Every structure is written in structure tokens, then in C-alpha cells.
Amino acid sequence: MQKKILLTICYNGAAYCGYQVQPNGVTVQEMLNKAAEALFGYPCDVVGCSRTDSGVHARGFCATVTKKGECFLQTSIPAVRIPRAMNAHLPEDISVLSAEEVPLDFHARYGVESKEYEYLIYNGRERNPFFEGRAWHIPTPIDGAALAAMQAAAAHFVGKQDFSAFRAVGADTAPKDAVRHVMSATVTRKGDLISFRVRADGFLYNMVRIMVGTLAAVAAGRMTPEDVLRVLREKDRTKAGSTAPACGLYLDRVTYRN
Amino acid sequence: MQKKILLTICYNGAAYCGYQVQPNGVTVQEMLNKAAEALFGYPCDVVGCSRTDSGVHARGFCATVTKKGECFLQTSIPAVRIPRAMNAHLPEDISVLSAEEVPLDFHARYGVESKEYEYLIYNGRERNPFFEGRAWHIPTPIDGAALAAMQAAAAHFVGKQDFSAFRAVGADTAPKDAVRHVMSATVTRKGDLISFRVRADGFLYNMVRIMVGTLAAVAAGRMTPEDVLRVLREKDRTKAGSTAPACGLYLDRVTYRN
């Protein structure tokens, strides 16, 4: 009956101050902790794979649920029934998509092998009700050449390198090591929607959003793809683009070691 | 300075009692009339290509804007500037995407050559915050064979035929003639999202939603694709499937004669 459960969670982050519990605002973790307590009958800890910022979304966020202060859950509810049972206690903007049993020593955060984010840019001239709060609206048309420049710039993100220039300054929890391994970084377009997908073994604070702000600078002709290489080498945050808004960012997929 | 302007409009219909002005509820047309009046400085009529039901969405709804009681607009604002100017007076869930000048005798409704709707079914097991109010959630898995049956059934909708079985009963404004020409009707799947697209020279009241309810009955094995042929022939509404919910329906595209 002692088991550890890994949840895959989808949420629209618009109404939340990010994932992690904090004193000054409602967070996704707080809602999940409450739903788990309502379901299992005792205080629970829903430990996430990552912190996400205020307003950031997730389609495949991973988190373990355990009894508070323990590394396990005491329950006879089969894993397959947990999603619907937890969803009965969650608001419409958070949904547990699936649940599976994992070893008791599994850690949702330290066991992460890679994370994949998608960032959506809506490039229609006028605002679109269906992308309101779900994409960054850049009304200036991005033509084929500008898109190709974004693609060339994104390719420079790939590799194991120092991303100091793509980390928010003053992040008090910043780890000293800014080397990350970006496995893929691609820009595609479908109609008015431009998608930036990036997968890495880890991300620095605001890293994806600064990457996107930089790609937007490339699209606007204020930077060249080669400038991105230079910025990476110089490791100076002020040389990279601005931080793109949170509403376009989606944590899409998490993989674990083993 | 006398001109008639055709608008292309996108709206999330969740908050509205359909398109057309009515006494008991806020409609999309009412919001557009008010925005046009605020912009042009006199009462306006925004005449739509179609009525849409409460909760139905549109990505490419067409409507003309004229001075109330006249067939023209008196303005020096160039058409290209109208979308942004009107959007300044519209809520977030309605957006004018584009505007163009049309002849004074152009009629947004009677001039329609064809309309294309998309209906979205979300087929994930658990609810998804991003499709809440934007797709019909059918949690029972629709497998490859069931999808193929939906596709075969949809093919039977194509052609110039009598759709009496696919019209809401008791629709007091129902025209006697129930013959419509369906040019295309296709079902495709991408991940958990199933899309039904249908284009026709006109649609009866609730026609697309009854088609989708029927396709859902086929997916569930309660009807066969051949049953759809029989239902069309028998012209009996009670033999077709139920009316699918409004939230999955999008008016996507309108074409005009000439």
C-alpha cells in the first residue's frame, strides 16, 4: 500500500503565480496539494519537475504525490483511477492527465533527464480571441526571410554551452554553473502561429523566454543569427534580447533517467 | 465617402447568446454595433453572413457594416485602418481581423456562396484546460477503426441532397426546402483532437451539430456508416444522432458569389 505516484499534469497558468507554493499568491502546487489531501484524506506534497513562472502553461508537467513529510503515499486507490478522482477536486484550468507508480526513491525534480518547452508567437495583424493569454502577439508581419533568420539563430542554441547571457539577472537562486545541453531548438510556422520548440537537460531562470526575445529581435532585423553566437560567447545578459512574455510558454514534455 | 465595408471577424462565442441581436441576452452583433457606433459616430448595422447559436465560435465570420437604415457608411477612415480602430472598442473575445470595401449592393447573408465549419472533438481521457469550452470532450477512446467509420460516414454527407433528418425540429424559421449542397465533409485526427470539416452552400438549423452527434454515434458503434445513408433517405430527425454541444463548433470561412 506504500507507493509513490507520478502525475502528468496539464494547466493553463494564466490565473496562477507559477507552480511552486509561495506566500503571496495562488499557485498550481497549492491547488494540487489540496486536491490530493481531499482525495487521500491526509496532507500531501505534490513535488514538481520544475518551477514555472507566473502565467506559464504546461501540457505535460510531471510531479510526484506523497504523504506530507514521507516518500510514499498510503492508499489502495489504483494509479489509473487517480487522475479522474483528483480532477474532481481541481478547477477547470488544471487537469491531471495520467498517473503511474514509480519507485519510492524516484525524484520528480532531480531525476529529470530532459525538458521540452514550446513557445507560441501569434503573428496575425489583429489580436485573436483564441490566442489571448496563450501566445505572444507580435503584430508586425514576419516574412519568409525573417523566419529563416529565426531558424538560423535558433540553431545556434543547440549544443552543450554556457547560457549566462540567457539567464535572468539577479535570480537569487541562480546556480553558478550556466552550462546546459540543448538537444534541439527549432522554429516552425503554421498560418499565423510561429512555434519555437527547445529541449535541454535543464534550463536557467527565464532561459526560454530570453531565447524567444532574442529570436524576435532577429525577426525584426535588430540582430543577426551570427549575433546570437557572439552573445553566447560574451555571456552578457544585456546583449541578448528582452524577456518574452510568460503567456506564450508551455512546458510540454519531461523525460526521466531510467 | 459612401462605402460599404465587409469585415472578417473572429470570436470566442462562449459568453454570447449567438450572433444576432435578441432581447434576452448579449450577442456578438450587439457588441459590433456598439463598437461601430463608437468609431463612426452614428448608429450602425453590422449585418452577418449567418446566425450562429449561443456558444458557437467563429474564426472567419463575415459581416457588412453600414449606417443604420442605409446601405452605406459615411466615413473617411480607410478600410485598412478599420480593424484596429474597431478592436479598440471591442472586448477581448471579439476581434475584427480585416476589412475591405465592397459594392453598395453587396449582401453579407444573401450573397453567400459557401460556408465552411470546423467541429472539434477532444478525445483525451481526462479533461484538458486548453479545450475547455472550445471542443466537445468525448473521453471514451476512439480507435483507428472507429475513426475510419466516422470518415466513411462523413463521406455520405457529400452531395446535393435533402438534409431534413439533420435539421432541428421545431425551428420556427425553418425554410421548407431542406436540400443543401455539401461540397466536402472530412474527419481527421491529430493527437487527441478530432476535427470534422464541412463545406456547403448553406446549412439548416443545427445541421453541423446533428451531423457530429451522428458521427459520434458511429464512433461509439451505435450506428454504421450505412445507417447514415438510410437516415438521409428517410428524412426523419429522430433517426439521426443527438445534437453535439455548441462549444466545439467554429464558423471558419465564408465565400461570396463574384
Side-chain angles (χ1 to χ4, degrees):
Chain A
M1 304 262 278
Q2 286 193 356
K3 46 188 158 186
K4 193 167 206 166
I5 296 291
L6 180 67
L7 307 172
T8 301
I9 301 155
C10 179
Y11 58 83
N12 181 328
Y16 300 98
C17 295
Y19 181 77
Q20 193 136 315
V21 163
Q22 51 149 284
N24 309 311
V26 181
T27 65
V28 177
Q29 189 182 26
E30 183 183 333
M31 304 307 283
L32 289 166
N33 283 347
K34 283 181 186 169
E37 179 168 352
L39 176 61
F40 299 113
Y42 42 77
C44 289
D45 257 339
V46 181
V47 175
C49 57
S50 160
R51 295 167 186 204
T52 63
D53 273 354
S54 191
V56 170
H57 313 295
R59 298 196 190 102
F61 191 91
C62 286
T64 53
V65 53
T66 52
K67 193 168 176 172
K68 197 176 169 72
E70 304 284 357
C71 69
F72 58 82
L73 206 58
Q74 195 91 32
T75 182
S76 58
I77 303 173
V80 71
R81 296 241 180 109
I82 290 176
R84 197 146 309 170
M86 273 190 75
N87 286 341
H89 301 284
L90 285 166
E92 271 193 356
D93 52 9
I94 304 177
S95 175
V96 177
L97 299 180
S98 63
E100 57 177 311
E101 211 175 320
V102 289
L104 294 188
D105 64 354
F106 182 98
H107 197 284
R109 188 160 177 193
Y110 305 130
V112 170
E113 182 185 59
S114 79
K115 284 188 282 191
E116 184 171 328
Y117 283 93
E118 183 178 24
Y119 192 99
L120 293 180
I121 294 170
Y122 171 66
N123 191 226
R125 275 183 188 273
E126 303 305 325
R127 61 184 168 73
N128 185 312
F130 296 106
F131 298 120
E132 214 61 57
R134 299 188 181 193
W136 180 18
H137 186 197
I138 300 183
T140 311
I142 294 173
D143 64 12
L147 189 77
M150 289 174 81
Q151 290 166 329
H156 292 317
F157 292 139
V158 178
K160 194 168 177 174
Q161 48 190 331
D162 188 304
F163 285 96
S164 295
F166 294 84
R167 168 161 70 181
V169 283
D172 52 356
T173 57
K176 273 172 195 143
D177 175 22
V179 174
R180 292 294 180 274
H181 183 194
V182 172
M183 292 99 165
S184 61
T186 54
V187 175
T188 54
R189 174 168 200 140
K190 201 178 165 190
D192 285 335
L193 215 57
I194 296 171
S195 157
F196 171 59
R197 278 196 173 271
V198 57
R199 193 163 73 90
D201 60 353
F203 290 88
L204 302 168
Y205 188 55
N206 278 355
M207 182 165 145
V208 183
R209 290 166 60 189
I210 299 169
M211 285 173 158
V212 173
T214 304
L215 294 177
V218 170
R222 292 191 305 273
M223 285 177 77
T224 66
E226 294 65 42
D227 287 337
V228 173
L229 270 182
R230 193 178 40 76
V231 168
L232 280 163
R233 237 183 352 246
E234 293 179 5
K235 304 181 182 62
D236 179 357
R237 169 67 189 95
T238 65
K239 301 284 172 59
S242 59
T243 305
C247 66
L249 187 58
Y250 297 75
L251 176 54
D252 234 41
R253 236 185 322 195
V254 181
T255 63
Y256 286 97
R257 285 185 287 276
N258 310 318
Chain B
M1 304 260 278
Q2 285 193 357
K3 46 189 159 186
K4 193 167 203 165
I5 295 291
L6 179 67
L7 307 172
T8 302
I9 301 155
C10 179
Y11 58 84
N12 181 329
Y16 300 99
C17 295
Y19 180 77
Q20 194 135 316
V21 163
Q22 52 149 283
N24 309 310
V26 181
T27 65
V28 176
Q29 190 183 24
E30 183 184 332
M31 305 308 285
L32 289 165
N33 283 347
K34 283 181 185 167
E37 178 168 352
L39 176 62
F40 299 112
Y42 42 77
C44 291
D45 257 339
V46 182
V47 175
C49 57
S50 159
R51 296 168 186 202
T52 64
D53 273 353
S54 189
V56 170
H57 313 296
R59 298 196 190 102
F61 192 92
C62 286
T64 52
V65 54
T66 52
K67 194 167 176 174
K68 198 176 171 71
E70 304 283 358
C71 70
F72 58 83
L73 206 58
Q74 195 90 33
T75 182
S76 59
I77 304 173
V80 70
R81 296 242 180 111
I82 290 177
R84 197 147 308 169
M86 273 190 75
N87 287 341
H89 300 284
L90 285 167
E92 270 193 358
D93 49 12
I94 304 176
S95 175
V96 177
L97 299 180
S98 64
E100 57 178 313
E101 211 173 323
V102 288
L104 293 189
D105 64 353
F106 182 97
H107 196 285
R109 190 160 175 192
Y110 306 131
V112 170
E113 180 184 61
S114 79
K115 285 188 281 191
E116 183 172 328
Y117 283 93
E118 183 179 22
Y119 193 99
L120 293 180
I121 294 170
Y122 170 67
N123 192 226
R125 275 181 188 275
E126 304 305 325
R127 60 183 168 73
N128 185 312
F130 295 106
F131 298 118
E132 213 63 56
R134 300 189 181 192
W136 180 19
H137 186 197
I138 300 184
T140 311
I142 294 173
D143 64 12
L147 189 77
M150 290 174 81
Q151 289 165 330
H156 292 317
F157 293 139
V158 178
K160 193 168 177 173
Q161 49 189 330
D162 188 305
F163 285 96
S164 294
F166 294 85
R167 166 162 70 180
V169 284
D172 53 357
T173 58
K176 273 170 195 141
D177 175 21
V179 174
R180 293 295 180 274
H181 182 195
V182 172
M183 293 101 165
S184 62
T186 54
V187 175
T188 54
R189 175 168 198 139
K190 202 177 165 191
D192 285 335
L193 215 56
I194 295 171
S195 157
F196 171 59
R197 278 195 173 271
V198 58
R199 193 163 74 89
D201 60 354
F203 290 88
L204 303 166
Y205 189 55
N206 278 357
M207 181 165 147
V208 183
R209 290 165 60 190
I210 300 170
M211 284 173 158
V212 173
T214 304
L215 294 177
V218 170
R222 292 191 305 273
M223 284 175 80
T224 65
E226 293 67 40
D227 287 339
V228 172
L229 271 183
R230 193 178 41 76
V231 168
L232 280 162
R233 236 181 352 246
E234 295 180 1
K235 305 182 183 57
D236 178 357
R237 168 70 189 91
T238 64
K239 301 284 172 59
S242 58
T243 305
C247 66
L249 187 59
Y250 298 75
L251 175 54
D252 235 41
R253 236 184 324 196
V254 181
T255 64
Y256 285 96
R257 285 186 287 275
N258 313 318

